[in-house]
Amino acid sequence: MKWRGRQESSNIDDRRGRSVRAGGLAGMGGLGIIVAIVYMLLGGNPLDLLMLVQEQPSTYEQSGGEYRESAEERDVRQFSAVVLKETENVWHDIFSRSGRRYEEPTLTIYSGQVQSGCGFASSGSGPFYCPADQRIYLDLAFSNELHHKFGAPGDFALAYVIAHEVGHHVQNLLGVLGKVHELRSRVSQEEFNAYSVRLELQADYMAGVFARHVQNKNLLDEGDVEEAMNAASAVGDDTIQKKAQGYIMPDSFTHGTSEQRMHWFRQGYLAGDLSRSDTFSRNP
């Protein structure tokens, strides 16, 4: 992606180098571990976070003086800020065309551990969106993990991840998250998992809309769309389960298969708007 020299979002909260004295979720022992497990799958379901809103405040302390980032970290930080700005541009445009006002989320970058409005998380949790505070949380080290652990190299793979999490924010603004959340107590776990899959696939669609926007501005490099598609494939439930345990359990899927995730990203890229985004009434 052609990003150097482009405008960065001002909605960046840099918490790197600050240690967390955790209350709430972290002080509740095993639940803190549950958060990490939930979000080991890329694009953790924000509906789960709604159930884990902190009850006790946490405090931050600067550890070891001012945080010193490496040149690689600086590039990832600046790239992430440019990507966030581009998501703001596309969603402001789409919302305004339908007479709505887009509220911009904040990207909180951290190192090691963080306290969100939805509870405590470590870098092992992966990127996630918290609807309680309308923030996206990202440890910049995930860029390397995306390459080496998930086998999804390239800068636009990370752009896809950020755009996917912004997609959850869009769902929150449109009321989709709330409607699905209301179903939790009314359906079985298996049925709720199916709704969760459709929620994640819709966020993938929205990441595709972002990619089309970037393409229309001639900012994509050759192979960028393929990098995003590869990332979508790498984090499919079937692919992750196959690697982790050697077999797949479709009833436990919460994010969709690799094929489904690639399909819906492609649909968003082809449409460039929300006209085909209904993953709930269509066969995923």
Side-chain angles (χ1 to χ4, degrees):
M1 176 177 167
K2 300 178 180 68
W3 64 273
R4 294 189 184 277
R6 296 194 62 79
Q7 185 177 2
E8 300 177 17
S9 172
S10 60
N11 296 309
I12 305 294
D13 177 20
D14 191 346
R15 297 185 187 174
R16 293 175 299 171
R18 285 188 275 177
S19 59
V20 182
R21 286 187 175 181
L25 188 60
M28 295 164 67
L31 283 179
I33 299 174
I34 291 175
V35 171
I37 294 174
V38 168
Y39 288 94
M40 284 297 286
L41 294 176
L42 178 64
N45 191 339
L47 292 176
D48 294 299
L49 285 174
L50 282 170
M51 304 296 291
L52 298 171
V53 176
Q54 64 185 32
E55 297 179 357
Q56 302 174 21
S58 295
T59 60
Y60 284 89
E61 294 180 345
Q62 195 71 31
S63 57
E66 184 178 354
Y67 184 82
R68 296 183 179 180
E69 65 181 1
S70 66
E72 180 182 1
E73 285 180 307
R74 182 189 65 240
D75 280 352
V76 177
R77 170 179 56 80
Q78 292 176 341
F79 174 78
S80 300
V82 170
V83 169
L84 185 62
K85 182 61 180 179
E86 293 299 334
T87 67
E88 292 166 359
N89 291 338
V90 66
W91 291 113
H92 272 299
D93 180 53
I94 290 176
F95 270 55
S96 65
R97 276 187 264 154
S98 60
R100 298 187 180 99
R101 178 178 175 273
Y102 180 65
E103 300 173 19
E104 299 172 354
T106 296
L107 175 62
T108 296
I109 57 176
Y110 68 96
S111 56
Q113 57 187 10
V114 70
Q115 181 73 28
S116 75
C118 298
F120 176 81
S122 71
S123 57
S125 307
F128 64 92
Y129 171 70
C130 172
D133 58 17
Q134 297 192 8
R135 289 173 176 255
I136 297 160
Y137 291 84
L138 172 68
D139 187 325
L140 298 183
F142 184 76
S143 178
N144 285 328
E145 186 174 351
L146 192 59
H147 182 177
H148 298 291
K149 179 179 179 179
F150 290 98
D155 60 3
F156 209 68
L158 180 60
Y160 155 77
V161 171
I162 296 172
H164 174 97
E165 298 306 332
V166 171
H168 284 312
H169 176 65
V170 173
Q171 291 172 321
N172 191 30
L173 296 181
L174 296 178
V176 178
L177 281 182
K179 289 180 180 179
V180 175
H181 174 62
E182 292 172 358
L183 296 172
R184 179 182 288 273
S185 61
R186 294 159 43 193
V187 300
S188 67
Q189 185 61 53
E190 182 179 334
E191 289 176 304
F192 189 76
N193 286 349
Y195 281 108
S196 177
V197 166
R198 293 173 184 269
L199 197 69
E200 295 298 330
L201 296 179
Q202 189 177 69
D204 283 331
Y205 177 99
M206 293 174 177
V209 172
F210 158 78
R212 178 61 176 271
H213 162 84
V214 176
Q215 174 64 69
N216 289 345
K217 297 178 74 170
N218 296 316
L219 297 178
L220 289 187
D221 292 318
E222 184 177 354
D224 276 348
V225 173
E226 287 74 14
E227 289 175 2
M229 293 282 284
N230 184 44
S233 174
V235 295
D237 283 325
D238 53 342
T239 298
I240 290 177
Q241 288 187 2
K242 186 70 173 179
K243 287 182 178 179
Q245 59 195 26
Y247 58 92
I248 62 175
M249 301 175 61
D251 288 347
S252 68
F253 287 176
T254 57
H255 290 67
T257 66
S258 295
E259 182 179 356
Q260 288 173 326
R261 301 197 71 166
M262 289 190 294
H263 170 78
W264 282 102
F265 174 87
R266 186 184 300 110
Q267 291 302 304
Y269 178 75
L270 293 175
D273 56 30
L274 294 177
S275 60
R276 307 179 198 169
S277 64
D278 185 3
T279 57
F280 292 88
S281 62
R282 301 182 183 183
N283 189 333

